[in-house]
Amino acid sequence: MADTIYDFRSDNIGGAAPELIEALVAANVGTAAPYGDDDWTRRMVERASTVFERPVRVFPLACGTGSNSIALAATANPFGAIYCHESAHINVHECGAPELFTGAKLVTLPGADYKLAAAMLEETLALAGRGNPNRVQPFALNITQPTDFGTLYTPSEIAALAEIAHHHGLKVHMDGARFANAVAATGRAPAELTWRAGVDLLSLGATKNGAINAEALIVFDEALAMQIPFLMKRGGQVLSKARFVSAQLERYLADDRWLERARSANAHAADLARRLAAVPGIEIVAPVQTNMIFVRLPQPAVDALSRGPFRFYTLGRHLRFVCRADQEPEGIDALARCASDALRGTQEEPRP
Amino acid sequence: MADTIYDFRSDNIGGAAPELIEALVAANVGTAAPYGDDDWTRRMVERASTVFERPVRVFPLACGTGSNSIALAATANPFGAIYCHESAHINVHECGAPELFTGAKLVTLPGADYKLAAAMLEETLALAGRGNPNRVQPFALNITQPTDFGTLYTPSEIAALAEIAHHHGLKVHMDGARFANAVAATGRAPAELTWRAGVDLLSLGATKNGAINAEALIVFDEALAMQIPFLMKRGGQVLSKARFVSAQLERYLADDRWLERARSANAHAADLARRLAAVPGIEIVAPVQTNMIFVRLPQPAVDALSRGPFRFYTLGRHLRFVCRADQEPEGIDALARCASDALRGTQEEPRP
Amino acid sequence: MADTIYDFRSDNIGGAAPELIEALVAANVGTAAPYGDDDWTRRMVERASTVFERPVRVFPLACGTGSNSIALAATANPFGAIYCHESAHINVHECGAPELFTGAKLVTLPGADYKLAAAMLEETLALAGRGNPNRVQPFALNITQPTDFGTLYTPSEIAALAEIAHHHGLKVHMDGARFANAVAATGRAPAELTWRAGVDLLSLGATKNGAINAEALIVFDEALAMQIPFLMKRGGQVLSKARFVSAQLERYLADDRWLERARSANAHAADLARRLAAVPGIEIVAPVQTNMIFVRLPQPAVDALSRGPFRFYTLGRHLRFVCRADQEPEGIDALARCASDALRGTQEEPRP
Amino acid sequence: MADTIYDFRSDNIGGAAPELIEALVAANVGTAAPYGDDDWTRRMVERASTVFERPVRVFPLACGTGSNSIALAATANPFGAIYCHESAHINVHECGAPELFTGAKLVTLPGADYKLAAAMLEETLALAGRGNPNRVQPFALNITQPTDFGTLYTPSEIAALAEIAHHHGLKVHMDGARFANAVAATGRAPAELTWRAGVDLLSLGATKNGAINAEALIVFDEALAMQIPFLMKRGGQVLSKARFVSAQLERYLADDRWLERARSANAHAADLARRLAAVPGIEIVAPVQTNMIFVRLPQPAVDALSRGPFRFYTLGRHLRFVCRADQEPEGIDALARCASDALRGTQEEPRP
């Protein structure tokens, strides 16, 4: 069909998974107290406690940026520093929201594969000037899992970072906007990737994996939960009719469909990456471990893809392709072929 | 039925109006660009332009506190002052969100019936110290319509306030969390209550009147819209899948059902108020002009209501009863009777 | 002398007391660690501990607004409220500095003679919504002593306010920009007016009483001192060469000259007030208890004073006259006479 | 003398230059309007206009951190980004003050010799996402001259950076805490190093070069001056008795003594650097172009220096030696010899 568009822009362009929109519709019954003091939210907290294998506190939100910012604010002091990778979503793509909500400074670190390295974190914190009033004081570590480039930390990598952080008095926040993709790709239990490895707060995203503006801020350290209701209100993050978000989140975690979708998205990305990697001239920028592919292409391939029935984003110098669970296989095929053709053409041209 | 509870806590305890949840479900088709760059949002903006009889900019949000705070931030300077009534929602019930988002100070004014008075505003602004670096500099006026006590400004009252505000260089923001109730009660066109009277930005709430976490920030002064996308992102107010909010808002404004619901809620409140006012000993605190009733009751009546099958909030020294469109008439009847019975008993006791 | 100007604008228009500028000059010897880690600062802390009859922490600053703001920030949480009189300096004359440094909201109370009343504070705090996330949470009480209108709290009034504040979990900050005038006027020991009455932090001003940009933030509650070095640096309040401020402050508190100056200033004001009060048509706005007089005058008197060799400020609807220790008696005489003459003229005019 | 200490900690440990303390004392005459509305300040502005060869606006302050923060705030929007070198004082040594005062984010760049490089700035700004609401929006460039490691930009390097910055809509702020050392070292006119090269605002420090807590915020772009009085008050940066700072600043710029002192300090540092560089095993970290030396020493030399009659700071992995105009030549000699002896010992030890 001439008009088909293959859309690789993001995983938040999709709609809602059937069971999630059903859950939302089913919550439309009777009256319920506002602001999360409702039965749907209580059931959601129970569900999360089961999935994470321990009692947790959970706050429903509509927005991942808000979730990250509130989580960090719960750990903050007003002259503090949050450590994160220079490519972290909180650093690059949230327009200063974490700074607004925390009043703190982000201190960024480089690191291979867009991941924080334990040695550099240790060295940086050792020289951070704890107790020196001229220096912002470290209070939080942000780990993005998977990273904004789709790469993954192993549980032991997380544990090593968290141990250093805790040793220096920092709390550990995980930005899990695509946490499902991480669980699906690693095959590790949610608990293993979070609190068992030392994570204190998790921003668990559901929106990019089939929910409608539904995010869960999960708190493993009970003491950190105390200020969150106030911080959320002050941040305009409290939902009047929270039940419609909590109902989705409860359903989201109720069976394996969230992981099935994530596995499917990851598999599509692996497929596309394998095919692109086989084309001479295409550079895969980061290991493809979840559902995102970042590539550098020669200009003719960029031009060809731009003319084609494809949608994708350019981030800095890279093209980004994100796969969803329902990504069309023929789209993957078409995209890989288009890039390949463009480059074959280019490379053949010089031949006489 | 023994278990029936009559719930007067708030208008945000209700669920979704049928046509709004239908609109939300119907938006679950295909892919759409995130963050409001989608067809549902575009149609919603068109619809709002029709309803307000002029081109408007509209930003969909999930939260009224966020909507108010962003609207004010769009007009702010960092050493500024926002003028509002001392009972304003932004002053009392948003936990400092407007201050966080704007960096400004709220300057509060008293006023009869929980409304700002033009004379006091004029006098206050004349003495505000424009140009004096020791003083915060006025930049915005907030009008809550209806007020948090359910009272209403007439279009000419709004126009008088807005004229003074504009004369002193302030922009005018209307907090319309219950704007539908104001339109329904006054019978005036949305345009008359807003931009024709000098309002520059309107936070139009739909959540309290049948929508699911859906709020519209409507901007009449195009220049004020420029920074809003950045302010929203920085404030964690941008919705990834905005279409599900915009679809509701578009449907909300598509016919008269939003006003029918509001009229019904207002009528229930008028009915309840009339009955309570007839009971000696009950003091109606503010004129009942929309769907909220604030009363002061002798303690025996408070006790009786608290034991009864009623839910309501106590705000400061007042009891608040809020009516929804689907408020049960028998609940209104029961509540009025319960209060009346309790007080008749009380008043008869002294008799020998 | 034709050119003599009698200047009643403020007590900060004067220069430095001889012994204070001597102390400053004497500190110009050798090298000293920056940022307050010097012997002059240490001696100043000892001196303050003697004067206040207990060990205290003291931080030298150049600016009273900074001192107030840092004191409040030391007690703050980011969703908090500071309670103060509506006429408080922190509310009216600091252009939002306390809000910037604390991230908190000022909640203002009315009160006779520009003073907070215990009953109203108790009632306000009881209804403040402790624990309700919609409401900012009280954390500090600000008492200005003397007030910005020159009135005084008695030790027992301070104690009553502080007891209520502490009962509700608030810390008590005293803005003592003119603390010397309060000590001089009441004849009470500094300790009685502060920590013995429940004050936790005192912003002790010296600049308005003969020092050169020298202010002392005195902390009675040791726990509140911990964050202050960081808050001061973040607020640009740390002085590189703090010794030149500390040397003044040490000398300031070393004998009774600070109180002699304040007594003299107070006496001049009392003299002027007595003379103005005797003139029919002049309204003294607030009890004259220290060195400031606020009056309302008929326009002819305002005009006459404005044409005369006088300088003074108009604040809102009032004229303000502030007396310094070295206020010229002939200026006081001239001013009183000028006002009197103008009004006698006015009142005689109607006579045929 | 056994007790002599050679102090290389900083240039702010010194006292006041004779002519500056004289100027301060001489200002102690008569009354003067507060907050900078005085004749000393007016004369200081005239003087600065002469020195910078054009009309300038100047604001006197007591603190360099405040000066930097206010300068940046004058250019800021609340969702903005300030670009600076990763070693910039505003990034490392001001405990978050620039972020507090601006509400903005610092984006840091690496660069050889602790200097920003034009190519990297251009590339970074080109990819900064102008207009993309997910990204903070660039508004200011900070150049530290000399850098915190004592290195210098040439006028043409400054011009190249400023041209890029202006092309992308940024204002250019120069942190000149040691501006005198830069002028002295380069022999270029103040104008050449600032506005002629495109600098819009200069934080000119005098405190490190002989003044008492005296800093000048010099504004070349008149439009940027408008908000500064308000921003200063909100930031607690307005001095009640500004004349005592302005008098120093006026005198500071009145003849060449400020540059003589700076030349002397630079010469001392060059001398010390030459001697240290001659010692095998000592690594000079940055080109010594002004009055600061950063070295890496083998541990025995660090130990020997720590035991000796020397004071210096350790910053991260480096030792820092700062020279003042009145640095004792015998101290320089002693320090170089101590380090040399320690290392000769070390290196000889292995010999049998």
Side-chain angles (χ1 to χ4, degrees):
Chain A
M1 194 174 67
D3 290 320
T4 299
I5 295 288
Y6 301 114
D7 200 333
F8 294 88
R9 283 178 295 181
S10 185
D11 28 17
N12 63 7
I13 62 170
E19 77 275 16
L20 300 187
I21 204 160
E22 279 166 22
L24 183 154
V25 171
N28 192 28
V29 51
T31 61
Y35 309 137
D37 181 23
D38 62 78
D39 291 339
W40 289 269
T41 300
R42 278 182 280 275
R43 282 193 292 268
M44 179 270 287
V45 175
E46 281 171 35
R47 179 70 69 188
S49 296
T50 302
V51 167
F52 281 88
E53 305 175 44
R54 54 163 286 171
V56 293
R57 293 287 298 276
V58 192
F59 299 88
L61 303 99
C63 167
T65 293
S67 175
N68 285 334
S69 297
I70 295 294
L72 292 166
T75 78
N77 67 48
F79 43 81
I82 300 162
Y83 289 76
C84 64
H85 192 276
E86 59 191 12
S87 73
H89 198 267
I90 63 166
N91 186 47
V92 181
H93 286 103
E94 300 191 345
C95 200
E99 288 92 341
L100 175 67
F101 283 62
T102 63
K105 184 185 183 78
L106 302 198
V107 178
T108 62
L109 302 176
D113 291 345
Y114 306 95
K115 291 159 60 181
L116 294 162
M120 171 154 290
L121 178 65
E122 174 59 49
E123 184 185 7
T124 303
L125 288 175
L127 295 174
R130 175 70 74 182
N132 175 351
N134 293 349
R135 310 289 300 274
V136 285
Q137 300 292 298
F139 69 81
L141 174 70
N142 166 267
I143 299 173
T144 315
Q145 169 79 324
T147 70
D148 265 37
F149 282 76
T151 53
L152 286 169
Y153 291 89
T154 65
S156 61
E157 286 173 334
I158 297 169
L161 291 166
E163 190 180 343
I164 293 165
H166 288 156
H167 176 72
H168 286 273
L170 285 71
K171 297 293 181 183
V172 179
H173 168 244
M174 178 172 280
D175 176 355
R178 293 183 176 91
F179 188 69
N181 300 88
V183 174
T186 60
R188 309 298 287 259
E192 286 181 275
L193 290 173
T194 56
W195 63 274
R196 285 211 179 101
V199 172
D200 297 302
L201 310 104
L202 168 68
S203 291
L204 171 70
T207 307
K208 291 182 195 295
N209 189 31
I212 298 177
N213 302 319
E215 307 280 319
L217 170 48
I218 300 182
V219 185
F220 302 113
D221 178 341
E222 175 69 22
L224 293 176
M226 284 184 54
Q227 296 199 325
I228 288 180
F230 300 96
L231 294 167
M232 283 180 63
K233 188 70 192 181
R234 187 185 68 132
Q237 300 296 323
V238 175
L239 293 165
S240 188
K241 297 181 177 174
R243 59 169 143 163
F244 293 102
V245 167
S246 293
Q248 290 182 72
L249 292 170
E250 194 278 334
R251 186 65 191 79
Y252 184 78
L253 295 172
D255 59 28
D256 270 353
R257 294 189 212 179
W258 66 303
L259 298 177
E260 284 166 21
R261 282 195 298 276
R263 272 191 289 269
S264 169
N266 291 352
H268 289 311
D271 185 29
L272 176 57
R274 195 174 31 75
R275 298 196 47 178
L276 290 176
V279 180
I282 293 187
E283 177 196 355
I284 305 279
V285 169
V288 177
Q289 298 177 330
T290 52
N291 67 326
M292 292 190 287
I293 304 171
F294 287 78
V295 297
R296 281 188 155 184
L297 298 184
Q299 198 55 42
V302 175
D303 295 343
L305 290 175
S306 300
R307 284 189 305 267
F310 310 111
R311 288 197 180 142
F312 54 89
Y313 285 139
T314 302
L315 278 94
R317 299 183 208 83
H318 310 123
L319 305 193
R320 187 185 81 164
F321 305 108
V322 184
C323 292
R324 290 160 289 116
D326 57 353
Q327 204 72 37
E328 307 84 346
E330 62 272 23
I332 291 168
D333 189 64
L335 190 149
R337 212 152 7 88
C338 175
S340 172
D341 289 353
L343 292 176
R344 187 180 315 117
T346 315
Q347 294 173 329
E348 286 170 352
E349 268 170 15
R351 296 182 190 176
Chain B
M1 195 172 68
D3 290 320
T4 299
I5 294 288
Y6 301 114
D7 201 334
F8 293 88
R9 283 178 296 182
S10 186
D11 29 17
N12 64 6
I13 62 171
E19 77 275 15
L20 300 188
I21 204 161
E22 278 166 23
L24 182 154
V25 171
N28 192 28
V29 51
T31 61
Y35 310 135
D37 181 22
D38 62 79
D39 291 340
W40 289 268
T41 300
R42 278 182 280 276
R43 282 192 292 267
M44 179 269 289
V45 175
E46 281 171 35
R47 179 70 68 187
S49 297
T50 302
V51 167
F52 281 88
E53 306 174 43
R54 53 163 287 170
V56 292
R57 293 288 299 276
V58 192
F59 299 89
L61 302 99
C63 168
T65 294
S67 175
N68 284 334
S69 297
I70 295 294
L72 293 166
T75 76
N77 67 47
F79 43 82
I82 300 161
Y83 289 75
C84 64
H85 192 275
E86 58 190 13
S87 73
H89 198 268
I90 63 165
N91 186 47
V92 181
H93 287 103
E94 299 191 345
C95 199
E99 288 92 340
L100 175 67
F101 283 62
T102 63
K105 183 186 185 78
L106 303 198
V107 177
T108 62
L109 302 177
D113 291 344
Y114 307 95
K115 292 160 59 181
L116 294 162
M120 171 155 290
L121 179 65
E122 175 60 49
E123 184 185 6
T124 303
L125 289 174
L127 295 173
R130 176 69 75 181
N132 175 351
N134 293 349
R135 310 289 300 273
V136 286
Q137 299 292 298
F139 67 83
L141 174 70
N142 165 266
I143 298 172
T144 315
Q145 169 80 324
T147 70
D148 265 37
F149 282 75
T151 52
L152 286 169
Y153 291 89
T154 65
S156 62
E157 286 173 334
I158 297 169
L161 291 166
E163 190 180 344
I164 294 165
H166 289 156
H167 176 72
H168 286 274
L170 286 71
K171 297 294 181 182
V172 179
H173 167 244
M174 179 172 279
D175 175 356
R178 293 184 176 92
F179 188 70
N181 300 89
V183 175
T186 60
R188 309 299 287 259
E192 285 181 274
L193 291 173
T194 57
W195 64 273
R196 284 210 180 103
V199 171
D200 299 302
L201 309 104
L202 169 67
S203 291
L204 170 70
T207 307
K208 292 182 195 293
N209 190 31
I212 298 177
N213 302 320
E215 307 280 319
L217 170 48
I218 301 182
V219 186
F220 303 112
D221 177 340
E222 176 67 23
L224 293 176
M226 285 185 54
Q227 296 199 325
I228 288 180
F230 300 97
L231 294 168
M232 283 181 62
K233 188 69 191 181
R234 188 185 69 131
Q237 300 296 324
V238 176
L239 293 165
S240 188
K241 297 181 177 173
R243 59 168 142 163
F244 293 102
V245 167
S246 293
Q248 290 182 74
L249 292 170
E250 194 277 334
R251 186 64 191 78
Y252 183 78
L253 296 173
D255 58 28
D256 269 355
R257 295 191 211 180
W258 65 303
L259 298 177
E260 284 166 19
R261 281 195 298 276
R263 272 191 289 267
S264 170
N266 291 352
H268 288 311
D271 186 28
L272 176 56
R274 195 174 31 75
R275 298 196 47 176
L276 290 176
V279 180
I282 294 186
E283 177 196 355
I284 304 280
V285 169
V288 178
Q289 299 178 331
T290 52
N291 67 326
M292 291 190 287
I293 304 171
F294 288 78
V295 296
R296 281 187 155 183
L297 298 185
Q299 197 57 42
V302 175
D303 295 343
L305 291 174
S306 300
R307 283 190 305 267
F310 309 111
R311 288 197 179 141
F312 53 88
Y313 285 138
T314 302
L315 278 94
R317 301 184 207 82
H318 310 123
L319 305 194
R320 187 185 80 167
F321 305 107
V322 185
C323 292
R324 290 162 287 116
D326 57 354
Q327 203 73 35
E328 307 87 342
E330 62 272 24
I332 292 168
D333 188 64
L335 190 148
R337 213 155 1 92
C338 176
S340 172
D341 289 353
L343 291 176
R344 188 178 316 118
T346 313
Q347 294 174 328
E348 286 170 353
E349 269 169 16
R351 293 183 193 175
Chain C
M1 196 173 69
D3 291 319
T4 299
I5 294 288
Y6 300 112
D7 200 333
F8 294 88
R9 282 179 296 182
S10 185
D11 28 17
N12 64 7
I13 62 169
E19 78 275 15
L20 300 188
I21 204 161
E22 279 166 24
L24 182 154
V25 171
N28 193 27
V29 51
T31 61
Y35 309 135
D37 182 21
D38 62 78
D39 290 340
W40 289 268
T41 301
R42 278 182 281 275
R43 283 192 293 267
M44 179 271 287
V45 174
E46 280 171 36
R47 179 71 68 191
S49 297
T50 302
V51 168
F52 281 90
E53 306 174 43
R54 53 163 288 170
V56 293
R57 294 286 300 276
V58 192
F59 299 89
L61 302 99
C63 168
T65 295
S67 175
N68 284 334
S69 297
I70 295 294
L72 293 166
T75 76
N77 68 46
F79 43 80
I82 299 161
Y83 289 75
C84 64
H85 193 275
E86 59 191 12
S87 73
H89 198 266
I90 61 166
N91 187 47
V92 181
H93 287 102
E94 300 191 345
C95 200
E99 288 91 341
L100 175 67
F101 283 62
T102 62
K105 183 186 185 80
L106 302 199
V107 177
T108 62
L109 303 177
D113 291 344
Y114 307 96
K115 292 160 58 182
L116 295 162
M120 172 155 288
L121 179 65
E122 174 60 48
E123 184 185 6
T124 304
L125 290 174
L127 294 174
R130 176 70 74 182
N132 175 350
N134 291 350
R135 309 290 298 275
V136 285
Q137 299 291 298
F139 69 81
L141 175 70
N142 166 266
I143 298 173
T144 314
Q145 168 79 323
T147 70
D148 265 37
F149 282 76
T151 52
L152 286 169
Y153 291 89
T154 65
S156 62
E157 285 173 335
I158 297 169
L161 291 166
E163 189 180 344
I164 293 164
H166 289 157
H167 175 72
H168 286 274
L170 284 71
K171 297 293 181 184
V172 178
H173 168 246
M174 178 172 281
D175 175 356
R178 295 183 175 92
F179 188 69
N181 301 87
V183 174
T186 61
R188 308 300 288 259
E192 285 181 274
L193 290 173
T194 56
W195 63 274
R196 284 211 180 102
V199 171
D200 298 302
L201 311 104
L202 169 67
S203 292
L204 171 70
T207 306
K208 291 182 196 292
N209 189 31
I212 299 177
N213 301 319
E215 307 280 320
L217 171 47
I218 301 183
V219 185
F220 302 112
D221 177 341
E222 176 67 25
L224 293 176
M226 285 184 54
Q227 297 198 326
I228 288 179
F230 300 96
L231 294 168
M232 282 180 63
K233 188 70 191 180
R234 187 185 67 131
Q237 299 296 324
V238 176
L239 292 165
S240 189
K241 297 181 177 174
R243 59 168 143 162
F244 293 101
V245 167
S246 294
Q248 292 183 74
L249 293 171
E250 195 278 333
R251 186 65 191 79
Y252 184 77
L253 296 174
D255 58 28
D256 269 355
R257 295 191 211 178
W258 66 302
L259 298 178
E260 284 164 21
R261 281 195 298 277
R263 271 191 289 267
S264 169
N266 291 352
H268 288 310
D271 186 31
L272 176 57
R274 194 174 34 77
R275 298 194 49 175
L276 290 176
V279 180
I282 294 188
E283 178 195 354
I284 306 280
V285 169
V288 177
Q289 299 177 330
T290 53
N291 67 326
M292 292 190 287
I293 304 171
F294 288 79
V295 297
R296 282 189 155 183
L297 299 184
Q299 197 57 41
V302 175
D303 295 342
L305 291 173
S306 300
R307 282 190 306 266
F310 309 110
R311 287 198 181 142
F312 53 87
Y313 285 138
T314 303
L315 278 93
R317 298 183 210 83
H318 311 122
L319 305 194
R320 187 185 80 165
F321 304 108
V322 185
C323 292
R324 290 161 288 116
D326 57 354
Q327 204 73 35
E328 306 86 346
E330 61 273 23
I332 291 169
D333 189 63
L335 191 148
R337 213 154 2 91
C338 177
S340 173
D341 289 352
L343 292 175
R344 188 179 315 117
T346 314
Q347 294 173 328
E348 286 169 352
E349 270 171 13
R351 293 184 191 172
Chain D
M1 197 172 66
D3 292 319
T4 300
I5 294 289
Y6 301 114
D7 199 333
F8 294 88
R9 282 178 296 183
S10 185
D11 29 17
N12 63 7
I13 63 169
E19 78 274 16
L20 300 188
I21 202 159
E22 278 166 25
L24 182 153
V25 171
N28 192 28
V29 51
T31 60
Y35 310 136
D37 181 21
D38 62 79
D39 290 340
W40 289 268
T41 300
R42 278 182 280 274
R43 283 191 292 267
M44 179 271 288
V45 174
E46 280 170 36
R47 178 71 67 189
S49 297
T50 303
V51 169
F52 281 89
E53 306 174 43
R54 53 163 288 170
V56 292
R57 292 287 300 274
V58 192
F59 299 89
L61 304 98
C63 167
T65 295
S67 175
N68 285 334
S69 298
I70 295 294
L72 293 166
T75 76
N77 67 46
F79 43 82
I82 300 161
Y83 289 76
C84 64
H85 192 276
E86 59 191 10
S87 73
H89 197 268
I90 61 166
N91 186 46
V92 180
H93 287 103
E94 300 190 346
C95 200
E99 288 92 339
L100 175 67
F101 283 61
T102 62
K105 184 186 184 81
L106 302 198
V107 178
T108 63
L109 302 177
D113 291 344
Y114 306 94
K115 291 159 59 182
L116 294 162
M120 171 156 290
L121 179 65
E122 175 59 50
E123 184 185 6
T124 304
L125 289 175
L127 295 174
R130 177 69 75 181
N132 175 352
N134 292 349
R135 309 291 299 274
V136 285
Q137 299 292 296
F139 68 83
L141 175 69
N142 166 267
I143 298 173
T144 315
Q145 169 79 326
T147 70
D148 265 38
F149 283 76
T151 53
L152 286 169
Y153 291 90
T154 66
S156 63
E157 286 173 334
I158 297 168
L161 290 167
E163 190 180 344
I164 294 164
H166 289 157
H167 176 72
H168 286 274
L170 284 71
K171 298 294 180 182
V172 179
H173 168 244
M174 178 171 282
D175 176 356
R178 294 182 176 91
F179 188 69
N181 302 87
V183 174
T186 60
R188 310 298 288 260
E192 285 181 275
L193 291 173
T194 56
W195 64 274
R196 284 211 181 101
V199 172
D200 299 301
L201 309 105
L202 168 68
S203 291
L204 170 70
T207 306
K208 291 181 196 293
N209 189 32
I212 298 178
N213 302 320
E215 308 279 321
L217 170 47
I218 301 181
V219 185
F220 303 113
D221 177 341
E222 175 68 23
L224 294 176
M226 284 183 55
Q227 296 198 324
I228 287 180
F230 301 97
L231 293 167
M232 283 182 62
K233 188 71 191 179
R234 187 185 68 133
Q237 300 296 322
V238 176
L239 293 165
S240 188
K241 297 182 177 173
R243 57 168 145 164
F244 293 100
V245 168
S246 293
Q248 292 183 72
L249 293 171
E250 194 278 334
R251 186 64 191 80
Y252 184 79
L253 296 173
D255 59 28
D256 268 354
R257 295 190 212 178
W258 66 303
L259 298 177
E260 284 166 21
R261 281 195 298 277
R263 271 192 290 268
S264 170
N266 291 352
H268 289 311
D271 186 29
L272 177 56
R274 196 176 30 77
R275 298 195 48 177
L276 290 176
V279 180
I282 294 187
E283 177 196 354
I284 305 279
V285 169
V288 177
Q289 299 177 330
T290 52
N291 67 327
M292 292 190 287
I293 306 171
F294 287 79
V295 297
R296 281 188 155 183
L297 298 184
Q299 197 57 40
V302 175
D303 295 342
L305 291 174
S306 300
R307 283 189 305 266
F310 309 112
R311 288 199 180 139
F312 54 88
Y313 285 139
T314 303
L315 278 95
R317 299 183 209 83
H318 310 123
L319 304 194
R320 186 184 81 165
F321 305 108
V322 184
C323 292
R324 290 161 289 117
D326 57 355
Q327 204 74 36
E328 306 86 346
E330 62 272 24
I332 291 169
D333 188 64
L335 190 149
R337 211 153 5 89
C338 176
S340 172
D341 289 353
L343 292 175
R344 188 180 316 116
T346 315
Q347 292 173 334
E348 286 169 353
E349 268 170 14
R351 293 182 193 174

